[in-house]
Amino acid sequence: MKNVQWEQLKRTEFEQYIAADAVVIIPVGATEQHGRHLPVNTDTSCCYAIARAAAERIEDVKVLVLPPIWTGYSPHHMQMAEAAGTISLGFHTFADLLTDVAACVYAHGFRRIMFLNGHGGNTALVQAVRFKLGEEKQISSVHCFTYWTLPDVPELMQSISETDKGHIGHAGEFETSLQLLLQPDLVDMSVARWAGTLGDPTTATAEKGGKVFEAVVTSLMNVIRRYHAGEYEDSRVCRKVI
Ligand SMILES: [Zn+2]
C-alpha cells in the first residue's frame, strides 16, 4: 500500500508531490457525543478513513492526506445532559485553525487543497473559510466537500435506507453503519436507541456501511480527478456538488 499520509513524509519527499500538482486533503472532523452507542471520534473517523481510502486507491493523481482536524464546531452538543465528551472550538478559533493549516500547505507550493468535512455543524464554516482564505491570504483555489453530499452519494443512501430516508442525521442509520464497518469494537449496539440521536441507529449494519463507504470513496476519487484536471478553477462560489 502506498503511503499517502502527510505526517509520515520526510521534508525531502514533498518535492515530488508539489511537482506533480498533488491534491492535498485536509479531513475536518469533530470530537462530539454521538449517542450512547458510538464513540465521540465518529465524524473524524469517517472522514479520515474515506480520505485515506480514496488517496490510496487513486492511481492517476498524486494525493496526500493531512492528519485529521479532530476539533470541530459543536456548541450545540455542549449543553446536552448526560452527554459528555464533546470538545468544541469557538467559531473564530475554528475558522482560524482551518485558515492557518490550509495556508501552510499552500506556502509549500501545493495549489490543490481540499477540505473533506465529516460533521454537519462544520459545513457552513468550512465553506466560508474558502472566502476567508481568498480575502486574507489571496488563496482562491481551495475547495470543500462534505462527504455525504458528494455526487451520487445521496441517491445511494436514499436507495438503501430503511428508516432515515437517506439522511446522514446524527448517530443514526448511516453513521452507525459506517462505524460498524470502520470501528466495530467501539460500537455498542445493545444501547443504540432512537433517542439523543438524529435518526434511527437500530437498522444500521456493517454491510450497509460498506455500501456507503464504497460510494463515497468512488465519488471522492472522481472529484479529486476533476479538481486536478482544473474543472473547479475560478470557481469562487461555495457550492455543493450535487
Ligand atoms: Zn456525526
Side-chain angles (χ1 to χ4, degrees), residues 32 34 42-43 118-120 169-171 175:
E32 175 184 287
H34 269 72
T42 292
D43 293 344
H119 167 49
H170 180 73
E175 279 193 328

Side-chain angles (χ1 to χ4, degrees), residues 44-58:
T44 305
S45 154
C46 290
C47 69
Y48 189 37
I50 289 162
R52 284 175 58 179
E56 284 163 0
R57 291 185 200 179
I58 199 162

Side-chain angles (χ1 to χ4, degrees), residues 94-133:
F94 181 59
D96 284 344
L97 172 69
L98 298 182
T99 303
D100 289 353
V101 171
C104 286
V105 175
Y106 188 91
H108 295 306
F110 292 98
R111 294 295 174 263
R112 306 202 185 270
I113 303 167
M114 176 192 295
F115 292 117
L116 183 68
N117 176 42
H119 167 49
N122 292 347
T123 306
L125 259 160
V126 178
Q127 289 183 334
V129 165
R130 293 187 60 217
F131 291 107
K132 188 173 183 296
L133 281 161

Side-chain angles (χ1 to χ4, degrees), residues 4 9 12 16-17 40 47 54 73 107-109 125 133 140 142 155 161-162 167-168 188 194 202:
V4 299
L9 297 186
T12 51
Q16 58 171 308
Y17 290 91
V40 295
C47 69
Y73 186 59
H108 295 306
L125 259 160
L133 281 161
S140 61
V142 174
E155 291 80 0
S161 182
E162 293 175 82
H167 297 299
I168 191 73
D188 184 355
W194 196 338
T202 61

Side-chain angles (χ1 to χ4, degrees), residues 7 10 15 51 108 211:
E7 73 274 21
K10 297 168 184 65
E15 197 56 48
H108 295 306
K211 287 179 180 169

